[in-house]
Amino acid sequence: MANFSRTWWGKRFIDAIERLTDSGRLQRGRSYASGGKVKSFEIDGGLVTAKVRGSVNPYFGVTKEPLYTTTIDFAPISKAKWAAAIALIASKASLISRLLLNEIPDNIEDSFETLGLHLLPASSKDFKTKCSCPDYSNPCKHIAGVYYLIAAELDRDPFLLFELRGLSRDALRAELAKSPLGQALSAELSAQQRPPDPVEHYYTQPQTVEGSPSLKDFWQGEKRLPQTLEVATPSAVPAILVKKQGDFPAFWPRDNSFIEAMESLYDRVRAKNKDRL
């Protein structure tokens, strides 16, 4: 059976749905999602629409495979409440730095709860579902299957959590960048994103030197090296090149976080070479 979520936010989305629905029906939806029963799947803001194949059942007079329309409509958070949430997030370096690096902090829900809000579904009021199938139970297996596809989409784009609740990725980043801490981090990120300078060759080309070069100048240089070296300014965001990739970049096929794997690697290298550093 397919593993639909690798990230904590995808798994926590399913956990939230399980607390609000019948777990048995949700498992039936998992088999629907993994069995290719969902023919189309679209997300537009907070509205998720899918076309899901039904089952042939001659006993009930269903002789042709039906196609049902399933919708899940997430309730948006108001602009005023979003403003309060963004102000709180922007005041915490641990949250804003990870969000600007395309990561979702695992404790972000705690900040929403202090304001009486929830990013993940917390009650049936946070979303409405509808399916054109004759099963009046909620969720039907078609709706449940779409839940798992949403979790898979969250793996690919964690900021979908915000979009489902009414705030786009661009709007979130723009608002966070307005804060003093956000401005400093955005400047650092922009500096790291400078495009490479074009060159004619990948490797250094040989140069013709007229006359016989001095061996002393060749080995020792024509000018003495400076006695002191200018100390490089440390980055405002450590390991920014790694963190910019996010937890699950496209080139990372494993189920564990790319950032956590790199942090573990660097810790081992640092421990092994502690006498040399």
Side-chain angles (χ1 to χ4, degrees), residues 42-58:
E42 297 180 356
I43 300 177
D44 184 10
L47 180 63
V48 181
T49 305
K51 297 288 185 180
V52 187
R53 294 159 56 189
S55 302
V56 174
N57 193 332

Side-chain angles (χ1 to χ4, degrees), residues 12-240:
R12 206 170 285 183
F13 173 81
I14 292 297
D15 291 342
I17 296 298
E18 285 181 343
R19 289 193 294 268
L20 302 174
T21 60
D22 182 274
S23 59
R25 284 184 166 271
L26 204 59
Q27 288 301 318
R28 292 181 66 192
R30 184 184 178 96
S31 64
Y32 252 61
S34 62
K37 291 284 190 178
V38 181
K39 293 196 66 176
S40 66
F41 177 77
E42 297 180 356
I43 300 177
D44 184 10
L47 180 63
V48 181
T49 305
K51 297 288 185 180
V52 187
R53 294 159 56 189
S55 302
V56 174
N57 193 332
Y59 181 80
F60 291 102
V62 182
T63 57
K64 291 184 178 181
E65 184 180 74
L67 187 64
Y68 300 121
T69 300
T70 300
T71 60
I72 303 176
D73 193 4
F74 290 86
I77 296 174
S78 68
K79 291 184 178 181
K81 291 180 179 179
W82 265 126
I86 290 173
L88 180 60
I89 292 172
S91 67
K92 298 183 178 182
S94 61
L95 297 181
I96 188 173
S97 60
R98 296 194 66 181
L99 286 170
L100 289 176
L101 288 167
N102 297 323
E103 302 172 41
I104 301 292
D106 54 6
N107 61 338
I108 193 170
E109 191 74 351
D110 297 337
S111 298
F112 278 81
E113 288 180 356
T114 60
L115 300 173
L117 300 173
H118 296 280
L119 190 57
L120 291 163
S123 72
S124 57
K125 296 180 180 179
D126 290 333
F127 60 96
K128 295 180 180 179
T129 60
K130 186 178 179 181
C131 185
S132 60
C133 76
D135 188 352
Y136 294 104
S137 300
N138 197 338
C140 64
K141 55 190 176 183
H142 314 107
I143 293 174
V146 177
Y147 285 146
Y148 281 100
L149 292 183
I150 294 174
E153 286 297 315
L154 287 172
D155 274 357
R156 288 186 280 271
D157 182 10
F159 285 86
L160 179 60
L161 274 175
F162 291 85
E163 293 186 16
L164 290 174
R165 304 308 299 273
L167 187 68
S168 69
R169 175 204 297 263
D170 293 339
L172 172 64
R173 293 177 67 91
E175 290 300 321
L176 292 176
K178 293 178 182 179
S179 66
L181 183 57
Q183 291 176 5
L185 291 172
S186 295
E188 180 71 18
L189 289 171
S190 298
Q192 294 287 341
Q193 293 175 353
R194 186 176 65 85
D197 297 327
V199 295
E200 294 182 0
H201 305 281
Y202 286 115
Y203 306 102
T204 302
Q205 299 298 300
Q207 297 180 356
T208 302
V209 178
E210 296 181 359
S212 300
S214 167
L215 293 178
K216 180 180 179 181
D217 291 342
F218 177 81
W219 290 109
Q220 298 182 1
E222 296 179 1
K223 297 181 181 179
R224 297 188 60 182
L225 294 176
Q227 298 300 307
T228 59
L229 297 177
E230 183 179 349
V231 179
T233 304
S235 172
V237 183
I240 189 170

